Amino acid sequence: MKHKPGKYIWFSLACLAWFILRVGARPTRIVYPCQRVAAAQSGWFLYAFLAPAFVAFWKGIKNFFSKHFKFIVIAGCIAFASFTGYRIYGQYKINLLRSQAGTIPALGVPGSAQPLDEISFVSFRYDPSVFYGETPPYDRAQNPAYDLVWQAVEDLQLGSSSNPLDGIIDPGDTVLIKVNLLGFNRPQYTHPAAVRPVIDMCIAAGAAKIFVGDCGQGFTNAKT
């Protein structure tokens, strides 16, 4: 006795419709034995629908590559050459700017550097014996990290030692101090002991308004 696949496909389609109708209204019904059987029988319809589509897609890919093989090879070579040239040029520009603006020294040595955009500056200081202050308002008297942050900004030579940001902040300016205030289960945030000296620098430079914030990609339960 020969079996006709068409009958199984229609039966499978009916099972799929029954499954969607019953489970869609109440998802808890998916554990019912009848719904499990209907879900299993629905595979015939999915197979009959997806298999021809996959075969047609595969044939289309093969025909496309066979007809445009030379074009694909040439385009790939051009893309590879462009990407390689871009990387080489980027490294050359980095080396050029480093030779003009100085390089970042090894960790543990104070230093600064000017990144590629020629607008931002980077500076750091490292001292394992210095720790963050834990008591608000995190001023110089109660915050051992205060002077370390101040010296790191002073290394940029954007102002005087008493007013390190004088060169980029004019009296009356509005300033945004961008910190890290991100995280869900494991929050990541900039310690307020490192933010307080930057706020004082902005005040010393004459900033009229000072905002401290972040882009807000998540909520944090960190206490700051």
Side-chain angles (χ1 to χ4, degrees):
M1 180 178 179
K2 296 183 179 180
H3 297 281
K4 296 182 179 181
K7 293 183 178 180
Y8 290 103
I9 293 175
W10 286 111
F11 176 73
S12 177
L13 178 59
C15 291
L16 179 61
W18 171 258
F19 179 82
I20 295 175
L21 179 64
R22 297 289 293 172
V23 176
R26 187 180 298 176
T28 55
R29 291 174 178 169
I30 197 172
V31 299
Y32 292 177
C34 58
Q35 300 305 325
R36 293 182 179 181
V37 174
Q41 295 298 325
S42 301
W44 281 98
F45 173 75
L46 296 177
Y47 172 78
F49 176 76
L50 294 178
F54 177 78
V55 172
F57 175 77
W58 178 250
K59 288 183 178 180
I61 293 294
K62 290 180 63 177
N63 292 335
F64 177 81
F65 274 90
S66 61
K67 292 181 180 179
H68 305 88
F69 180 76
K70 293 183 179 180
F71 172 78
I72 294 174
V73 172
I74 295 174
C77 292
I78 294 175
F80 177 78
S82 301
F83 176 77
T84 304
Y86 175 78
R87 293 295 301 271
I88 294 175
Y89 172 75
Q91 188 62 43
Y92 165 77
K93 190 174 181 180
I94 291 175
N95 295 334
L96 179 63
L97 290 176
R98 282 179 174 175
S99 64
Q100 295 175 350
T103 59
I104 298 179
L107 185 63
V109 181
S112 61
Q114 186 175 1
L116 294 180
D117 55 14
E118 302 182 10
I119 298 176
S120 303
F121 292 85
V122 177
S123 178
F124 68 89
R125 277 182 174 259
Y126 175 73
D127 188 345
S129 64
V130 175
F131 56 91
Y132 291 127
E134 297 296 338
T135 305
Y138 306 102
D139 55 7
R140 178 178 268 111
Q142 300 174 334
N143 180 13
Y146 190 101
D147 289 333
L148 195 66
V149 175
W150 193 283
Q151 292 168 3
V153 178
E154 186 180 341
D155 290 338
L156 295 174
Q157 300 180 357
L158 300 175
S160 62
S161 58
S162 60
N163 192 358
L165 297 179
D166 180 54
I168 59 175
I169 298 178
D170 295 325
D173 280 354
T174 298
V175 178
L176 168 64
I177 301 175
K178 193 277 180 189
V179 295
N180 285 330
L181 293 175
L182 303 176
F184 292 95
N185 296 326
R186 300 180 62 184
Q188 301 175 2
Y189 64 96
T190 303
H191 199 287
V195 181
R196 171 59 192 271
V198 180
I199 294 176
D200 290 347
M201 296 176 203
C202 296
I203 295 175
K209 294 182 179 180
I210 302 173
F211 297 93
V212 178
D214 199 2
C215 60
Q217 293 180 350
F219 298 97
T220 176
N221 57 4
K223 295 181 179 180
T224 59

